[in-house]
Amino acid sequence: MTGWTVDGAPMLRAASAEAITARDPLGMASFPLVPFSNRIADARFDWAGERYAIAPNFAPEPHAIHGIGWTSAWEVREACDDRVVLTLDHAGDARWPFAFAAEQVVALTPDTLTVTLTARNLEAFDVPLACGHHPYFPAAGARLRFAAERRWPPDARMLPDDPVEIADRQVDFAVAERALDCAFSGWDGVATIAWPGRVLQIESEVDHAVVYTPGGAPHFCFEPVAHLPNALSVAVAPGASHRATMRLIAQPVSVRA
């Protein structure tokens, strides 16, 4: 996704011409997270009594990150002015050993952008399979608010350390004043970003989020995800699916301040 504006106001970071030409997902407005989000330590994991090694994809880190959907070519199955359907069929390879089929449905109304990401297990046994979203938002003047039960500060290897209980469950800060790269669990599925003159509400049915606010950068991330980093905790049965919807709703300033 390369950007989204409402009445001329940017709700997502706009991708640069250079990022679009290079097809660089890290320069886009948002990209899909499937079949997992964030990091898998040292690109190795255990599942059903077996040890799996997958390809590290975020040098110089030794980890695997964000799954494979963000760097894969998706097929356009349907496209019109207010709706796009993209599909990805993965047969299993060195990047991820299990077969799955994924679909992104992107839908627009005058004030809402909805991205529904679904992944279906094509194996004959239970596999780890989860969907999430990685949007980038303009940082200038932004204030982020949401409710969650715990935050998971990263250790020196950028993996979650011991959790910290959030006493009143409220997270509320000016993005420019705090540098974070942190997961949160027990998210209630609603977050608000307020800028001078505009407000955006984020909604999702998943109950985890990752907040990335790199100090001094013109963008930040609030990522609705289904599990903690380095925790493949969503098991999907043969033929079953996992779904994560991200709904971005532009609101009048008088609604949320």
Side-chain angles (χ1 to χ4, degrees):
M1 194 179 306
T2 60
W4 178 49
T5 63
V6 175
D7 295 330
M11 298 293 156
L12 292 169
R13 174 183 72 174
S16 67
E18 293 77 12
I20 294 171
T21 299
R23 299 183 178 183
D24 178 11
L26 294 175
M28 297 297 158
S30 184
F31 57 78
L33 302 173
V34 64
F36 63 89
S37 65
N38 212 271
R39 292 163 174 82
I40 295 178
D42 300 313
R44 289 175 171 79
F45 66 94
D46 296 318
W47 187 259
E50 298 288 336
R51 168 57 64 103
Y52 293 90
I54 55 179
N57 62 348
F58 201 57
E61 290 188 11
H63 313 310
I65 191 169
H66 294 335
I68 66 170
W70 69 306
T71 54
S72 295
W74 293 65
E75 180 179 347
V76 179
R77 195 178 75 194
E78 176 187 333
C80 58
D81 289 345
D82 59 359
R83 176 181 161 92
V84 175
V85 180
L86 307 172
T87 60
L88 173 66
D89 293 320
H90 177 70
D93 58 20
R95 300 175 301 159
W96 185 251
F98 308 123
F100 67 88
E103 178 187 78
Q104 292 184 75
V105 180
V106 182
L108 278 173
T109 69
D111 63 0
T112 302
L113 170 65
T114 303
V115 185
T116 303
L117 179 59
T118 307
R120 180 165 56 91
N121 177 14
L122 300 181
E123 300 287 0
F125 47 87
D126 291 4
V127 301
L129 183 58
C131 300
H133 302 272
H134 197 301
Y136 291 83
F137 302 98
R143 188 171 195 91
L144 176 64
R145 299 185 179 106
F146 63 96
E149 296 175 355
R150 301 172 188 85
R151 63 182 177 91
W152 298 74
D155 63 16
R157 302 184 69 226
M158 299 309 299
L159 302 171
D161 209 337
D162 293 335
V164 177
E165 298 287 334
I166 302 173
D168 58 1
R169 299 193 175 186
Q170 299 302 306
V171 181
D172 182 347
F173 66 96
V175 169
E177 297 174 359
R178 188 178 301 180
L180 286 178
D181 191 348
C182 188
F184 293 81
S185 59
W187 175 45
D188 69 359
V190 179
T192 300
I193 303 171
W195 299 274
R198 66 192 194 278
V199 176
L200 183 68
Q201 182 161 298
I202 306 166
E203 299 177 353
S204 185
E205 72 274 41
V206 295
D207 60 357
H208 291 70
V210 174
V211 177
Y212 176 49
T213 60
H219 59 264
F220 73 100
C221 301
F222 182 89
E223 307 162 32
V225 296
H227 60 84
L228 290 171
N230 198 32
L232 298 177
S233 56
V234 180
V236 175
S241 298
H242 183 267
R243 175 176 295 177
T245 301
M246 179 178 67
R247 183 174 294 104
L248 307 180
I249 307 167
Q251 300 180 332
V253 174
S254 60
V255 175
R256 295 285 179 90

